[in-house]
Amino acid sequence: MRVAGVRLIRFNALCLVTAGVALVGCSRIPGRPGPGPEVVRPDEILDFATLYKRNCAACHGENGRNGAAISLANPTYLAVVGEDNLRETAAKGVSGRLMPPFAKSAGGMLTDQQINVLAHGIMQQWSSPDVAAGFSLPPYRAMLPGDVTRGQQAFGEFCARCHGAAGEGSAADAKSGAGKIGSIVDASYLALISDQGLRCITIAGRPDEGMPDWRTDAAQPMTDQQITDIVAWLASKRSANPGQPYATQP
């Protein structure tokens, strides 16, 4: 009888513990599903920092600069391009160039809402309303036809001091501390960048590389026509078949 009583006491205690766990700690039992998904679906991620890191940082740089592609952390560029053009470029990409489309409607992986988060976040993170400082910003897209001959002349006036008379680049200067500047008429480089990309860099510069914007270091800033002409001259240097030629067959 005594043994049976001890067993009964132990059984009752076990029941009480089990009931307590059921009432208090059920939600924390290992293996029990939580109220929501343990892993957020990719198309439900709406955090700008996460979206930028996963989709943009590899080309545009971790903090919007020092990447292979144009700096997004450049207030002048953002003032020129605007949020609508950012959204369109992120969604549709740039045909024939390295910028792919990211919107699902264009074959990418992001929803329209995620594209909006990226475009708006970039503007919030790195734009500045006073970046033009009293100057009139050139338009994002060319409004005038370009002239190759005038473009060569304008390039010589505004760009040749750093990029070389023919755009071939310049060697490092130990005296001034300036680093080597590569060729911007290289066939492979021109094959990878669009006319719009050339225009954007000419207007916005590359502050992360020490390149000034359209206001330049000259007495007068470039005009819209001069920018358009310079881009036309650079585009005229494109090769139909860039890169290393195939070996000639005997």
Side-chain angles (χ1 to χ4, degrees):
M1 290 292 292
R2 186 174 180 182
V3 172
V6 170
R7 288 178 177 173
L8 181 60
I9 292 171
R10 287 178 178 174
F11 176 76
N12 289 337
L14 180 61
C15 288
L16 287 172
V17 170
T18 303
V21 170
L23 292 173
V24 178
C26 262
S27 62
R28 295 192 292 275
I29 294 177
R32 180 186 177 89
E38 293 188 11
V39 179
V40 180
R41 289 172 54 90
D43 57 2
E44 293 177 352
I45 296 172
L46 297 175
D47 174 63
F48 168 72
T50 303
L51 288 172
Y52 181 85
K53 183 177 181 179
R54 293 184 179 182
N55 299 281
C56 312
C59 293
H60 294 283
E62 183 179 356
N63 296 306
R65 58 174 65 88
N66 298 320
I70 192 167
S71 298
L72 296 176
N74 180 349
T76 304
Y77 171 69
L78 295 181
V80 173
V81 67
E83 188 170 331
D84 288 343
N85 287 316
L86 273 180
R87 185 181 299 107
E88 181 181 358
T89 303
K92 299 179 181 179
V94 180
S95 179
R97 299 295 182 262
L98 291 180
M99 174 69 184
F102 284 91
K104 286 186 174 183
S105 58
M109 299 291 290
L110 301 183
T111 65
D112 290 344
Q113 189 176 8
Q114 289 173 317
I115 295 290
N116 288 337
V117 168
L118 276 173
H120 188 66
I122 288 169
M123 295 298 294
Q124 277 197 322
Q125 190 84 4
W126 295 307
S127 66
S128 173
D130 303 321
V131 67
F135 288 86
S136 179
L137 280 166
Y140 171 65
R141 289 189 171 88
M143 308 298 290
L144 306 164
D147 182 271
V148 173
T149 302
R150 291 199 310 258
Q152 184 176 15
Q153 294 170 350
F155 184 90
E157 179 181 351
F158 293 103
C159 315
R161 181 171 64 85
C162 295
H163 292 285
E168 74 281 8
S170 61
D173 188 345
K175 220 179 248 189
S176 66
K180 180 181 178 180
I181 296 177
S183 171
I184 56 171
V185 292
D186 178 80
S188 297
Y189 171 71
L190 290 175
L192 295 172
I193 190 168
S194 65
D195 286 5
Q196 184 60 56
L198 289 170
R199 179 177 178 84
C200 286
I201 291 176
T202 304
I203 297 173
R206 284 293 303 260
D208 52 333
E209 298 287 344
M211 176 183 170
D213 58 30
W214 92 103
R215 288 169 285 195
T216 75
D217 296 325
Q220 295 292 328
M222 295 184 201
T223 65
D224 178 23
Q225 183 67 70
Q226 287 170 326
I227 293 166
T228 304
D229 292 341
I230 288 172
V231 171
W233 180 72
L234 290 172
S236 73
K237 302 296 181 181
R238 281 200 181 97
S239 171
N241 300 295
Q244 296 295 325
Y246 290 106
T248 304
Q249 295 296 325

